[in-house]
C-alpha cells in the first residue's frame, strides 16, 4: 500500500515536471532570436588589449582608408550589441544598447570618425573594435586612455549632439534595469488586486497620476490623425469608435474591459480618476502567470498569485502587450492581421525585428509618462506616431549594391512593408469577413474551413478567415476618415466604409500602403442612418435584452443605443461595412522582400540594365532584379500562397491610378526619359 | 590709572619690537599635505549633467536618494549646494556660449569637498575631529566633534554642512572621498565609478595633473589654460578643467597660498616661545605694579581699621 502511494506520488511529480516543461512559459525559454543571440555572443568577447596605436592625423588616415578601397560592402557585422563584461564590472543599471553598425557607416561614410586610430602593429586589423583599445577605466599604465563605457558614451553622444541627430539621453538608447522588487514589495500572501495597486502606488504615485491620463486607461484621447476630428480629445473605444467586429464597448463593458488596464469597469459609472483601480500587473508582469478573467470587467483570475507577480515586476514585453493586442476581436490574430501569439516566439522569417533581434514592442512604440506612441488605423486615439523611418531613415537601403539608389527612390512612394511584408497573417489565419445578420441560429453547425477555423458562431454570425493573404494597396497620407458613433452614413451606398485611408496619387506625402480590408455586415438604423450599437453581453442572469442571451436584435439595439444616448427608430437594415486595417508588423528579412520584377512586369524579360543605363556593365541582372519573396518556398512550408507564385504586377499599378507599370508609363510626378507614357 | 605717558611708551615699544621680530620665525610654516595623495579630475567639457554621480554618492554613503533622480526636467532650474543630505550636487550654468543655432550651451559642474592639500577646516578644528589622510581624503571623526562648526566658517568652498534638524547627535556632513573605498587597492569613489563619460577621472593627484596638462596642451582652444585646484588654496585633491572661466561655474577665485598659512602663521608667531603670553602678562603685571604703587601712599589707617571692623 505504501509502495503504491509512493508510486502515485512519483507519478504526480513526474507529471508536474512534464507539465512545466511543456507549458508555453517554459517553451519560451528555449526560443532564441538568432541575430540577437549572435550579437550577445560577440559582445561577450574580450579582445586582447592594444597598448600602442599609430598616431596619425584624421584626414591622413581617412584618405589612406579610402585609397585602400574600404567600403560599405566590407562590413560583415551589420549589428552590434554594445555590451561587455568590462562595462558591467563596476555597475549595471542599464541594459545594453542596440547599435546598427552598417547603418551608421552608411550615414557617416567615414570609418575614421569612430575608428579614430589604428593599432601600431601593421599586421593588425585596420578598423579594430572599440574594446581593443578601450577597456577598463582608470588604467594606471594608460591613464589617458578612457574606459570602454566612457568611450561609447563620448563617441555616441558627442556625434549625436554635433549632428543634432540620434538620442542623447540615457533612456534614448538604454532600457533601465528594473531593480529586484522582492524586498521592496510588502504584501500579505493572499493580497487582493487593490492591495497590489496601493502597494505599487506607495512608491510610484507619479506614474499612477500619469497612467490615469493615458489612452490605455481612458480608452479615449486626442485623435490627431482622424480627418475632421484632429483637434478633438474625446474619441476612442470608450466613446465613439466603431468597428465591424464586436462594434462598440458601450453596454458590453464587463466582456470588453477584460482588456482594460484597470479593475472593475462594469458600466459608465466607472471612476476614471481613481488611481487605486489601475491594473499595474497586466503590463508589468514578467512571470507569464498573470491573467484576467475574460468576463469580469478586468479583474484578475482567481488563481493568480498576485504577491508573487508583484515581486517580479519588470518592463512591458511582447507577452504583456500581446495579452490584449494579439487577442483583439476575441481571440488570437482575429483583428490584427499582422499580430498574433506567433510573435511571442517568432521565427526570423516571420518577423525580423522580433524574431531576429528580439525587439520588445516598446522599443519602437516609445513610451513617455505611460503614453505609448503609435497611431492605429482602427481607433482614433493616438499618443504619438511610430514609423520605420524613425530608425531606418529616409534612405534605408545601404547594402552597398547597385540597387540602393533605386530602392531609396521607392521610399518616396511606397511604405516599407509594401515590399518587406508582402503577405499578411503569415502564420495564423485572421478574420476578414464577419456577417452579423446570420447570428442567432443555435442549431446551425459550424463548418471548418481549410485552415481549421469555424465559419459560424450563433452569437456572432458567419465568418471568413484568410492566411498568408495578399494585402490591398491604397494611397495613404497617415490620416484616416472615420465613421464615428452617431455619424450619419449613406444608407443607400453599396458599402459603408467605417474607416478609409486618406490619400491620393497626386499628394507627395501619400504613399502606397498595404491594408487588410475587414468586410462585414452589420446593422444601421433604417431611419436615422446611424450605425447601431447592440447590447450583446448580458449584464446578469436577469438580463432580458442582451443578444447573446435573448437573440432578439431589436431589444439588443434598443438597449445598446439607449445606453449610448442615441436614438433608435426601431427598424434596422443590414449593411455591408468595410474597415481598412493598416499592416505594420511581421516585417520579413531584407532578402525576402518583393523583387523588382514581382511588381514591374516590364522587367520580366530584361537581362541587362541597358534599358535605362547606356553602358553595358557586367551585371547579373536576374540576380539583382528577380530574386525576391519566394512564394514557392513559403508554400513548401505550408503557407497558403500558391496563387501568388509567379505573380506579376503584385501591387496592381492600374488600381492605384497609374496608367500601367511606371517603368513604361512614368512615375506619378516624373516621366522617365525612356518611357512613352504621360504623367497621371 | 597713574600709568605715565613715558611708562606706557616704554612697554609698548618692547611689545612692538618683539612682535616684529617674531613673524620671522613664522616662515618656518610647513605644509602638512600628504606626499602622494589621490585626486579626482573633473573635466567639465565631458560632463553631460546626468547626475549619476549624485545617485551613486547617495547609494554608497547611505544618503537619501537625490531629488528627481529619474528626471532632470526642472532640477537644474535652481542652483544647489551640497548639504547634509547630499555630499555632491551637479549644477547647470549657461555661461554665454551658444551653438550654431544660437542655442545656449550648458556647462554642468559637480561640486563636492575639494579635499584641500592643506585644509582650512582641519586647521580650524579645535578638537582634531577633521584630519587630512595619507590618501588625500579630509576625514571627519564624529566622536571627537563638539559641533562648534568652525570648519563651516573656515572652508573657502563653503562645503561642510550641519545636521541642524538633529538636536541630539548632529554631524558635520561633507564628501568623504569615499575613504573606505579608495583606501582599498583599486577602489574608486562612488561618483567616479559610475560616471558614464569619464568626466571624473580618479587617480594619483600627480598623474592627474600631468594628464590635465596634456589635455590642455593637446586641445588648444578647447580649454581655459588653467587647472583649477592645482594651486588654488595651496592645491586641492579635486582638480577641474573647463572650457569656460571657472568663476562662471561658481568655483571661487582663491589665492594660491594655503588657507591655514596666514591664520596658523599669526597663531604660531603669537605663541612661539610663549612670547606673547609672557609679553601680555608682563604688560598686565607692569600695569598692576604701576597702579598698585600709585595707590599705596593713599592708604590710610582708618581704612585699615575699617577692614578690622
Amino acid at each position: 500500500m505504501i509502495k503504491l502511494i509512493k508510486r502515485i506520488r512519483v507519478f504526480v511529480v513526474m507529471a508536474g515536471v512534464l507539465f512545466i516543461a511543456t507549458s508555453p512559459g517554459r517553451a519560451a525559454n528555449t526560443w532564441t532570436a538568432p541575430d540577437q543571440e549572435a550579437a550577445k555572443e560577440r559582445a561577450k568577447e574580450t579582445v586582447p588589449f592594444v597598448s600602442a596605436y599609430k598616431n596619425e592625423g584624421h584626414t591622413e588616415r581617412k584618405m589612406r582608408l579610402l585609397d585602400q578601397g574600404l567600403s560599405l560592402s566590407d562590413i560583415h557585422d551589420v549589428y552590434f550589441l554594445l555590451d561587455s563584461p568590462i562595462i558591467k564590472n563596476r555597475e549595471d543599471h542599464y541594459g545594453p544598447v542596440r547599435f546598427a553598425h552598417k547603418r551608421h557607416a552608411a550615414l557617416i561614410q567615414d570609418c575614421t570618425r569612430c575608428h579614430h586610430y589604428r593599432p601600431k602593429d601593421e599586421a593588425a586589423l585596420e578598423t579594430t573594435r572599440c574594446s581593443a583599445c578601450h577597456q577598463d577605466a582608470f588604467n594606471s599604465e594608460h591613464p589617458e586612455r578612457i574606459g570602454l563605457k566612457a568611450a561609447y558614451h563620448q563617441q555616441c553622444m558627442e556625434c549625436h549632439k554635433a549632428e543634432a541627430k540620434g538620442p542623447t539621453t540615457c533612456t534614448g538608447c538604454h532600457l533601465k534595469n528594473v531593480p529586484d522588487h522582492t524586498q521592496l514589495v510588502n504584501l500579505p500572501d493572499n493580497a487582493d488586486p487593490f492591495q497590489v495597486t496601493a502597494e505599487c502606488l506607495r512608491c510610484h504615485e507619479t506614474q499612477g497620476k500619469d497612467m490615469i491620463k493615458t489612452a490605455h486607461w481612458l480608452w479615449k484621447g486626442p485623435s490627431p490623425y482622424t480627418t475632421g476630428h484632429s483637434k478633438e480629445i474625446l474619441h476612442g473605444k470608450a466613446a465613439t469608435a466603431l468597428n465591424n467586429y464586436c462594434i462598440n464597448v458601450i453596454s458590453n463593458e464587463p466582456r470588453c474591459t477584460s482588456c482594460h488596464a484597470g479593475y472593475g469597469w462594469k458600466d459608465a459609472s466607472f471612476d476614471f480618476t481613481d488611481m487605486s483601480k489601475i491594473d499595474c500587473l497586466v503590463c508589468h508582469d514578467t512571470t507569464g502567470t498573470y491573467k484576467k478573467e475574460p468576463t469580469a470587467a478586468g479583474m484578475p483570475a482567481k488563481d493568480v498569485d498576485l504577491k508573487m507577480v508583484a515581486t517580479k515586476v519588470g518592463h512591458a514585453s511582447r507577452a504583456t502587450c500581446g495579452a490584449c493586442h494579439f487577442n483583439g476581436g476575441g481571440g488570437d490574430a482575429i483583428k490584427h492581421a499582422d499580430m498574433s501569439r506567433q510573435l511571442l516566439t517568432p521565427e526570423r522569417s516571420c518577423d525580423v525585428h522580433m524574431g531576429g533581434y528580439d525587439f520588445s514592442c516598446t522599443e519602437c512604440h516609445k513610451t513617455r509618462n505611460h503614453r505609448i506612441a503609435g497611431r492605429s488605423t482602427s481607433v482614433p486615439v493616438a499618443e504619438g506616431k511610430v514609423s520605420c523611418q524613425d530608425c531606418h531613415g529616409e534612405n534605408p537601403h545601404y547594402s552597398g549594391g547597385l540597387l540602393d539608389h533605386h530602392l531609396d527612390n521607392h521610399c518616396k512612394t511606397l511604405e516599407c512593408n509594401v515590399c518587406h511584408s508582402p503577405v499578411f497573417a503569415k502564420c495564423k489565419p485572421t478574420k476578414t469577413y464577419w456577417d452579423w445578420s446570420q447570428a442567432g441560429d443555435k442549431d446551425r453547425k459550424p463548418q471548418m474551413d481549410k485552415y481549421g477555423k469555424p465559419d459560424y458562431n450563433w452569437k456572432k454570425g458567419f465568418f471568413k478567415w484568410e492566411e498568408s493573404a495578399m494585402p490591398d494597396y491604397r494611397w495613404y497620407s497617415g490620416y484616416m476618415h472615420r465613421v464615428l458613433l452617431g455619424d450619419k452614413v449613406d444608407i443607400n451606398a453599396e458599402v459603408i466604409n467605417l474607416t478609409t485611408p486618406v490619400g491620393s496619387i497626386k499628394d507627395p506625402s501619400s504613399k502606397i500602403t498595404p491594408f487588410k480590408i475587414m468586410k462585414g455586415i452589420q446593422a444601421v438604423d433604417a431611419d436615422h442612418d446611424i450605425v447601431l450599437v447592440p447590447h450583446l453581453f448580458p449584464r446578469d442572469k436577469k438580463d432580458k435584452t442582451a443578444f447573446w442571451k435573448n437573440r432578439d436584435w431589436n431589444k439588443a439595439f434598443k438597449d445598446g443605443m439607449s445606453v449610448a444616448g442615441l436614438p433608435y427608430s426601431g427598424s434596422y437594415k443590414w449593411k455591408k461595412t468595410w474597415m481598412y486595417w493598416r499592416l505594420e508588423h511581421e516585417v520579413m528579412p531584407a532578402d525576402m522582400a518583393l523583387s523588382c520584377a514581382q511588381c514591374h512586369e516590364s522587367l520580366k524579360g530584361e537581362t541587362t540594365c541597358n534599358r535605362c543605363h547606356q553602358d553595358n556593365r557586367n551585371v547579373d541582372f536576374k540576380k539583382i532584379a528577380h530574386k525576391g519573396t519566394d512564394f514557392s518556398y513559403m508554400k513548401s512550408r505550408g503557407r497558403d500562397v500558391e496563387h501568388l507564385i509567379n505573380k506579376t504586377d503584385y501591387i496592381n499599378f492600374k488600381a492605384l491610378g497609374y496608367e500601367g507599370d511606371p517603368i513604361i508609363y512614368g512615375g506619378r510626378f516624373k516621366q522617365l526619359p525612356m518611357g512613352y507614357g504621360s504623367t497621371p | 590709572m597713574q600709568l605715565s605717558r613715558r611708562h606706557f611708551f616704554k612697554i609698548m615699544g618692547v611689545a612692538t619690537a618683539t612682535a616684529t621680530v617674531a613673524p620671522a620665525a613664522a616662515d618656518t610654516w610647513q605644509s602638512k599635505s600628504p606626499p602622494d595623495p589621490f585626486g579626482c579630475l573633473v573635466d567639465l567639457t565631458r560632463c553631460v549633467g546626468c547626475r549619476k554621480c549624485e545617485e551613486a554618492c547617495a547609494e554608497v554613503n547611505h544618503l537619501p536618494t537625490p531629488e528627481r533622480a529619474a528626471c532632470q526636467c526642472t532640477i537644474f532650474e535652481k542652483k544647489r549646494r551640497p548639504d547634509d543630505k547630499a555630499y555632491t550636487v551637479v549644477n547647470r550654468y549657461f555661461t554665454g556660449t551658444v551653438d550654431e543655432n544660437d542655442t545656449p550651451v550648458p556647462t554642468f559642474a559637480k561640486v563636492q569637498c575639494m579635499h584641500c592639500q592643506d585644509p582650512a577646516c582641519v586647521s580650524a578644528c579645535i578638537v582634531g575631529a577633521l584630519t587630512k589622510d595619507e590618501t588625500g581624503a579630509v576625514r571627519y571623526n564624529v566622536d571627537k566633534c563638539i559641533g562648534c562648526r568652525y570648519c563651516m566658517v573656515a572652508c573657502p568652498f563653503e562645503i561642510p554642512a550641519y545636521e541642524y534638524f538633529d538636536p541630539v547627535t548632529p554631524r558635520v556632513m561633507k564628501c568623504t572621498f569615499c575613504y573606505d573605498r579608495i583606501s582599498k587597492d583599486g577602489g574608486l569613489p562612488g561618483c567616479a565609478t559610475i560616471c558614464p563619460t569619464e568626466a571624473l577621472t580618479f587617480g594619483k593627484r600627480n598623474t592627474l595633473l600631468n594628464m590635465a596638462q596634456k589635455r590642455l596642451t593637446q586641445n588648444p582652444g578647447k580649454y581655459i589654460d588653467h587647472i583649477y585646484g592645482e594651486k588654488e588654496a595651496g592645491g586641492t585633491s579635486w582638480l577641474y578643467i573647463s572650457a569656460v572661466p571657472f568663476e562662471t561655474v561658481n568655483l571661487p577665485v582663491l589665492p594660491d597660498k594655503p588657507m591655514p598659512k596666514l591664520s596658523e602663521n599669526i597663531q604660531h608667531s603669537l605663541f612661539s616661545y610663549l612670547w606673547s603670553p609672557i609679553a601680555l602678562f608682563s604688560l598686565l603685571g607692569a600695569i598692576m605694579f604701576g597702579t598698585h604703587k600709585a595707590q599705596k601712599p593713599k592708604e590710610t589707617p582708618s581704612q585699615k581699621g575699617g577692614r578690622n571692623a
Side-chain angles (χ1 to χ4, degrees):
Chain A
M1 186 65 196
I2 292 170
K3 260 189 183 171
L4 187 69
I5 291 173
K6 265 192 181 166
R7 268 197 195 157
I8 290 171
R9 213 182 270 167
V10 168
F11 176 75
V12 168
V13 168
M14 278 175 67
V17 168
L18 203 68
F19 174 73
I20 290 167
T22 51
S23 66
R26 283 294 159 129
N29 285 345
T30 56
W31 169 88
T32 50
D35 304 78
Q36 186 70 355
E37 236 18 67
K40 274 184 193 164
E41 286 308 312
R42 259 203 309 277
K44 271 184 213 156
E45 295 162 9
T46 41
V47 286
F49 185 67
V50 173
S51 56
Y53 60 91
K54 192 172 169 185
N55 198 352
E56 59 186 334
H58 171 249
T59 317
E60 206 184 339
R61 176 165 159 72
K62 184 179 166 185
M63 299 304 163
R64 194 163 52 74
L65 291 193
L66 288 172
D67 285 346
Q68 284 176 13
L70 217 60
S71 78
L72 279 180
S73 36
D74 293 308
I75 294 175
H76 301 296
D77 294 321
V78 176
Y79 169 74
F80 280 97
L81 200 60
L82 303 187
D83 193 12
S84 163
I86 301 168
I87 291 180
K88 289 179 181 164
N89 239 350
R90 301 189 201 278
E91 53 98 8
D92 190 12
H93 290 303
Y94 287 91
V97 173
R98 298 175 182 277
F99 176 61
H101 181 217
K102 194 163 182 178
R103 168 152 180 75
H104 278 81
L107 276 177
I108 297 166
Q109 294 284 344
D110 173 9
C111 305
T112 60
R113 186 98 175 245
C114 299
H115 298 275
H116 47 172
Y117 292 119
R118 62 152 299 145
K120 202 158 205 171
D121 178 9
E122 289 292 335
L125 207 65
E126 181 62 64
T127 54
T128 51
R129 291 168 68 154
C130 308
S131 60
C133 298
H134 299 280
Q135 298 197 342
D136 201 8
F138 315 131
N139 181 338
S140 53
E141 279 163 39
H142 300 272
E144 192 53 44
R145 195 80 71 81
I146 58 174
L148 182 59
K149 183 165 73 168
Y152 283 150
H153 280 123
Q154 283 195 23
Q155 190 79 269
C156 298
M157 291 170 77
E158 233 162 69
C159 196
H160 286 185
K161 274 184 187 159
E163 301 291 328
K165 239 181 188 178
T168 51
T169 58
C170 307
T171 48
C173 298
H174 298 271
L175 200 62
K176 203 170 183 181
N177 293 341
V178 177
D180 183 2
H181 276 64
T182 319
Q183 300 303 318
L184 303 172
V185 169
N186 185 14
L187 281 172
D189 281 337
N190 50 354
D192 73 38
F194 298 101
Q195 277 175 304
V196 174
T197 304
E199 179 62 9
C200 299
L201 291 173
R202 187 165 60 85
C203 297
H204 301 286
E205 200 192 336
T206 323
Q207 283 73 16
K209 283 182 184 158
D210 286 344
M211 181 64 203
I212 58 169
K213 292 181 203 137
T214 66
H216 276 79
W217 172 256
L218 296 169
W219 281 15
K220 61 185 175 190
S223 48
Y225 306 113
T226 302
T227 52
H229 301 280
S230 58
K231 302 253 169 102
E232 292 162 26
I233 53 162
L234 292 168
H235 299 293
K237 263 181 187 300
T240 53
L242 288 169
N243 64 37
N244 48 10
Y245 289 84
C246 287
I247 301 165
N248 192 294
V249 176
I250 294 168
S251 79
N252 303 305
E253 282 88 350
R255 182 70 187 86
C256 302
T257 60
S258 63
C259 267
H260 181 236
Y263 299 128
W265 180 1
K266 276 202 284 277
D267 49 41
S269 70
F270 183 75
D271 182 3
F272 286 97
T273 59
D274 185 357
M275 291 199 290
S276 71
K277 290 179 180 148
I278 298 172
D279 182 354
C280 309
L281 301 182
V282 71
C283 300
H284 293 287
D285 170 36
T286 60
T287 65
T289 59
Y290 185 83
K291 272 185 204 70
K292 278 172 174 270
E293 203 69 63
T295 55
M299 296 307 284
K302 292 272 181 296
D303 57 343
V304 178
D305 183 351
L306 292 175
K307 185 185 177 184
M308 190 271 289
V309 175
T311 53
K312 291 187 176 157
V313 285
H315 290 296
S317 62
R318 295 204 297 275
T320 56
C321 298
C324 290
H325 292 279
F326 296 163
N327 293 319
D332 195 10
I334 288 180
K335 254 185 190 168
H336 296 278
D338 53 346
M339 283 196 278
S340 69
R341 289 183 60 80
Q342 202 77 26
L343 292 179
L344 294 176
T345 56
E347 276 184 52
R348 191 174 186 276
S349 58
C350 171
D351 185 300
V352 71
H353 296 111
M354 301 184 221
Y357 295 91
D358 198 14
F359 269 70
S360 71
C361 306
T362 49
E363 283 182 80
C364 296
H365 294 272
K366 292 260 185 247
T367 301
R368 204 177 160 82
N369 302 336
H370 275 82
R371 289 171 197 267
I372 302 167
R375 56 174 156 183
S376 158
T377 45
S378 57
V379 287
V381 53
E383 296 179 328
K385 58 180 178 177
V386 174
S387 74
C388 309
Q389 285 85 344
D390 294 350
C391 294
H392 293 280
E394 300 291 336
N395 297 309
H397 301 96
Y398 41 79
S399 69
L402 286 172
L403 279 185
D404 289 355
H405 161 75
H406 294 284
L407 294 175
D408 281 348
N409 269 345
H410 277 70
C411 295
K412 298 183 186 105
T413 304
L414 300 175
E415 282 296 349
C416 307
N417 48 2
V418 169
C419 300
H420 290 279
S421 42
V423 291
F424 67 82
K426 268 207 290 291
C427 322
K428 287 260 177 80
T430 183
K431 248 178 220 179
T432 54
Y433 185 82
W434 184 326
D435 180 357
W436 278 101
S437 70
Q438 298 186 35
D441 185 355
K442 274 191 169 178
D443 301 327
R444 180 167 162 181
K445 284 267 176 296
Q447 305 292 314
M448 293 299 162
D449 68 1
K450 56 180 168 178
Y451 311 117
K453 290 286 183 184
D455 72 341
Y456 189 74
N457 179 317
W458 73 265
K459 284 180 174 174
K460 298 178 180 177
F462 173 74
F463 315 123
K464 280 182 197 162
W465 302 78
E466 277 184 71
E467 184 241 84
S468 300
M470 207 185 114
D472 284 85
Y473 297 97
R474 292 288 184 278
W475 291 100
Y476 177 54
S477 59
Y479 292 86
M480 293 299 278
H481 175 75
R482 287 173 210 284
V483 173
L484 297 171
L485 184 61
D487 285 356
K488 292 255 186 231
V489 295
D490 179 4
I491 195 129
N492 299 316
E494 172 70 12
V495 170
I496 297 165
N497 283 326
L498 292 185
T499 62
T500 328
V502 176
S504 154
I505 189 170
K506 298 228 191 302
D507 167 29
S509 69
S510 293
K511 292 181 182 182
I512 299 169
T513 309
F515 289 90
K516 159 191 161 177
I517 301 183
M518 174 64 190
K519 299 175 180 175
I521 292 179
Q522 68 192 105
V524 178
D525 190 306
D527 292 343
H528 297 122
D529 302 355
I530 53 178
V531 176
L532 290 170
V533 177
H535 170 47
L536 298 168
F537 184 76
R539 295 185 182 91
D540 50 41
K541 282 186 179 155
K542 284 177 242 154
D543 194 312
K544 290 273 184 284
T545 52
F547 184 78
W548 289 350
K549 194 158 178 282
N550 308 297
R551 292 187 287 153
D552 183 332
W553 279 122
N554 246 325
K555 282 185 192 165
F557 291 137
K558 198 171 168 222
D559 192 338
M561 292 304 271
S562 83
V563 178
L566 287 166
Y568 173 52
S569 66
S571 66
Y572 59 88
K573 252 185 169 177
W574 294 111
K575 291 295 299 177
K576 279 186 191 163
T577 57
W578 283 16
M579 263 185 104
Y580 286 80
W581 292 68
R582 191 184 160 179
L583 302 163
E584 311 265 9
H585 306 95
E586 296 191 348
V587 177
M588 306 219 283
D591 55 356
M592 295 180 181
L594 287 179
S595 72
C596 312
Q598 275 168 311
C599 288
H600 296 285
E601 213 166 355
S602 59
L603 294 176
K604 269 267 136 141
E606 300 284 324
T607 50
T608 67
C609 307
N610 62 7
R611 172 198 286 272
C612 302
H613 298 279
Q614 293 184 353
D615 65 345
N616 205 350
R617 62 185 90 185
N618 190 18
V619 171
D620 187 350
F621 187 76
K622 283 242 167 205
K623 196 177 161 195
I624 62 169
H626 288 244
K627 197 181 158 293
T629 318
D630 190 348
F631 290 112
S632 42
Y633 172 74
M634 284 170 76
K635 183 179 173 268
S636 74
R637 295 292 300 269
R639 306 272 73 87
D640 184 22
V641 290
E642 189 166 4
H643 57 293
L644 298 175
I645 300 170
N646 296 326
K647 184 165 173 55
T648 52
D649 193 12
Y650 197 87
I651 64 170
N652 193 352
F653 289 113
K654 280 192 177 156
L656 287 162
Y658 290 95
E659 265 182 72
D661 185 347
I663 288 188
I664 308 287
Y665 292 94
R668 53 175 174 156
F669 300 119
K670 191 173 142 194
Q671 198 178 351
L672 283 172
M674 299 295 194
Y676 40 81
S678 58
T679 46
Chain B
M1 177 174 146
Q2 290 297 301
L3 189 64
S4 73
R5 187 180 154 82
R6 175 173 296 190
H7 206 127
F8 175 77
F9 279 123
K10 217 185 266 176
I11 295 167
M12 283 316 286
V14 174
T16 326
T18 334
T20 39
V21 173
D27 277 344
T28 55
W29 184 86
Q30 287 283 315
S31 165
K32 288 185 273 307
S33 58
D36 189 17
F38 284 113
C40 207
L41 174 65
V42 187
D43 188 335
L44 297 186
T45 64
R46 289 185 181 180
C47 179
V48 293
C50 70
R51 295 174 60 229
K52 287 285 150 207
C53 48
E54 289 185 28
E55 255 179 81
C57 175
E59 198 184 316
V60 303
N61 293 301
H62 312 291
L63 297 169
T65 309
E67 190 193 348
R68 287 185 166 274
C71 154
Q72 322 294 8
C73 328
T74 53
I75 195 80
F76 289 123
E77 275 164 23
K78 57 176 192 264
K79 296 282 171 283
R80 298 174 301 146
R81 295 290 309 166
D83 57 24
D84 55 312
K85 290 181 183 66
Y87 290 161
T88 183
V89 291
V90 180
N91 282 314
R92 183 184 63 190
Y93 299 92
F94 288 106
T95 56
T97 324
V98 289
D99 66 9
E100 57 269 34
N101 302 322
D102 283 346
T103 313
V105 177
T107 304
F108 298 96
K110 173 186 187 300
V111 251
Q112 72 296 308
C113 172
M114 300 288 282
H115 297 275
C116 307
Q117 289 287 74
D118 286 293
C121 56
V122 171
S123 171
C125 184
I126 55 174
V127 289
L130 285 159
T131 45
K132 177 79 175 171
D133 189 86
E134 280 301 298
T135 56
V138 175
R139 297 176 66 190
Y140 168 68
N141 183 349
V142 69
D143 297 331
K144 287 188 183 168
C145 179
I146 55 168
C148 69
R149 284 160 278 157
Y150 283 3
C151 50
M152 296 171 64
V153 182
C155 177
F157 302 97
E158 300 172 29
I159 292 297
Y162 195 64
E163 289 182 324
Y164 286 106
F165 66 89
D166 185 349
V168 186
T169 55
R171 290 172 297 173
V172 168
M173 302 293 275
K174 68 159 205 70
C175 163
T176 62
F177 211 170
C178 287
Y179 169 78
D180 293 334
R181 294 161 63 96
I182 64 168
S183 49
K184 278 182 214 132
D185 207 21
L188 295 172
C191 50
T193 313
I194 207 162
C195 181
T197 55
E198 273 176 49
L200 306 178
T201 312
F202 177 78
K204 288 286 182 188
R205 187 173 182 267
N206 287 330
T207 322
L208 296 179
L209 278 171
N210 287 337
M211 187 198 288
Q213 196 51 57
K214 214 167 161 188
R215 276 191 214 167
L216 300 191
T217 338
Q218 286 182 350
N219 300 282
K222 183 176 176 185
Y223 295 98
I224 300 276
D225 188 16
H226 180 72
I227 304 169
Y228 189 92
E230 183 183 13
K231 298 208 177 84
E232 270 75 8
T236 55
S237 294
W238 279 67
L239 307 163
Y240 284 72
I241 50 175
S242 162
V244 295
F246 294 100
E247 57 272 22
T248 60
V249 295
N250 212 10
L251 286 168
V253 181
L254 291 173
D256 285 353
K257 67 176 194 300
M259 288 293 144
K261 192 170 173 181
L262 177 66
S263 57
E264 285 181 15
N265 268 349
I266 293 172
Q267 273 192 329
H268 293 181
S269 42
L270 281 174
F271 288 96
S272 56
Y273 312 113
L274 283 177
W275 74 266
S276 57
I278 294 170
L280 178 68
F281 287 112
S282 322
L283 177 68
L284 290 174
I287 293 167
M288 270 176 71
F289 181 74
T291 47
H292 185 72
K293 210 166 142 188
Q295 279 173 358
K296 217 168 188 179
K298 284 179 184 170
E299 201 178 345
T300 58
S302 67
Q303 276 172 316
K304 265 183 184 175
R307 206 156 54 183
N308 292 334

